[in-house]
Amino acid sequence: MDRYAVIGNPISHSKSPRIHSLFAAQTGQDLVYEALLGPIEAFAATVEAFRAAGGRGLNVTVPFKLEAFDLADRHTPRALAAGAVNTLAFDVDGILGDNTDGAGILRDISVNQGCPVAGRRVLLLGAGGAARGTVLPLLEAAPASLVIANRTASKAAGLADEFTRSGPLRPLGCGFAELAGQRFDVVINATSASLSDAAPDLPDGLYAPGSLAYDMMYGKGDTPFMRAAREQGAARLSDGLGMLVEQAAESFLLWRGVRPDTAPVLAQLRAGL
Ligand code: ATR
């Protein structure tokens, strides 16, 4: 049977083995998918050992996405734009590095949430790895505007500058205070604030009528960002569980050439939170 795994540290909490096993059963693909604990000092050696033992591909999670980028022989354009890799595919030509996180969030927002980004005013919060991986897929979805805002304004400006030549739309970077007076249709939280049970400190009045507040984080119940967004008038709220399932589906498609139906898998995961 073809072998796949998710590698990270820690890894025992990962939902990826469950998601990919459900995908495999649904599509009739003959594969096994495990969780692999990567020693902090031995990521590359662990990947090579898995590959030598017949592994066909890996998902990569915290803290190895940058090392996975360096390990790959070739990269997809979206992995190059993200500067990080969450999917490795092993073939006769070596190791291909891809990044399916951005495609996953775009698909969750546009298809699952029924909120196409085209023509909308989009605000991306954060300027770390999670935000970076989302910029190119967002620009490709042709929003009316894209503002990247970060607690440390200079990092948002730097990230926006990297994408000034990616297409006709130039993203703008700023700090949170400079958002005052602006309105957005889609607000995406790519900060790690929820990890410390906090929400980004945003000015009031950002949410346009009918707007969506989307948090890349998820958990049982609303995240701190979702609670704050509700109070500030966001019409619709979503956490990032759908993104998790959609990025997995993109990886599965890359490896197997088959796109699984994500809706029943998302429903099962949601029920188990
Ligand atoms: P990740 O890979 O998850 O993006 P990261 O690269 O460490 O993680 O980036 C974390 C992001 O969350 C940064 O944009 C950080 O803002 P700063 O650049 O100002 O540090 C943001 N962040 C973390 N905690 C935050 C908080 N309490 N409020 C607002 N932004 C926060």
Side-chain angles (χ1 to χ4, degrees), residues 62 65 125-132 149-153 155-156 176 189-202 216-217:
V62 177
K65 290 184 184 184
L125 302 170
R132 176 180 301 273
N150 193 46
R151 182 175 60 183
T152 310
K155 281 165 70 179
F176 294 151
N189 180 27
T191 75
S192 54
S194 292
L195 292 179
S196 44
D197 202 26
D201 190 13
L202 301 174
M216 288 197 189
M217 301 276 170

Side-chain angles (χ1 to χ4, degrees), residues 56-268:
R56 300 285 306 274
L58 286 169
N59 281 132
V60 181
T61 188
V62 177
F64 298 127
K65 290 184 184 184
L66 297 180
E67 279 184 78
F69 185 92
D70 292 339
L71 190 65
D73 304 309
R74 292 142 34 230
H75 301 86
T76 61
R78 59 194 184 183
L80 287 172
V85 155
N86 79 334
T87 307
L88 296 170
F90 309 130
D91 57 29
V92 285
D93 297 325
I95 304 179
L96 174 69
D98 192 8
N99 192 313
T100 65
D101 287 329
I105 187 174
L106 259 292
R107 204 172 161 88
D108 192 34
I109 290 175
S110 57
V111 179
N112 301 341
Q113 303 297 324
C115 178
V117 166
R120 309 278 176 109
R121 296 162 291 181
V122 179
L123 171 61
L124 179 63
L125 302 170
R132 176 180 301 273
T134 309
V135 179
L136 186 64
L138 271 176
L139 288 173
E140 288 175 347
S145 59
L146 175 61
V147 176
I148 304 171
N150 193 46
R151 182 175 60 183
T152 310
S154 58
K155 281 165 70 179
L159 183 56
D161 280 351
E162 287 182 42
F163 289 88
T164 48
R165 284 186 202 87
S166 298
L169 180 67
R170 294 168 72 102
L172 298 171
C174 64
F176 294 151
E178 294 160 75
L179 295 171
Q182 301 188 54
R183 298 200 123 196
F184 298 93
D185 305 300
V186 180
V187 180
I188 299 170
N189 180 27
T191 75
S192 54
S194 292
L195 292 179
S196 44
D197 202 26
D201 190 13
L202 301 174
D204 281 331
L206 293 182
Y207 292 96
S211 56
L212 171 70
Y214 188 101
D215 198 346
M216 288 197 189
M217 301 276 170
Y218 63 87
K220 195 173 170 60
D222 289 349
T223 65
F225 169 74
M226 290 165 72
R227 287 196 295 274
R230 179 183 285 113
E231 279 174 25
Q232 291 179 322
R236 299 171 54 198
L237 306 166
S238 175
D239 69 9
L241 191 66
M243 174 185 175
L244 177 74
V245 177
E246 294 296 344
Q247 63 79 27
E250 288 284 330
S251 299
F252 195 91
L253 175 64
L254 177 82
W255 292 327
R256 311 300 296 184
V258 181
R259 180 182 285 283
D261 180 7
T262 50
V265 176
L266 181 52
Q268 281 199 45

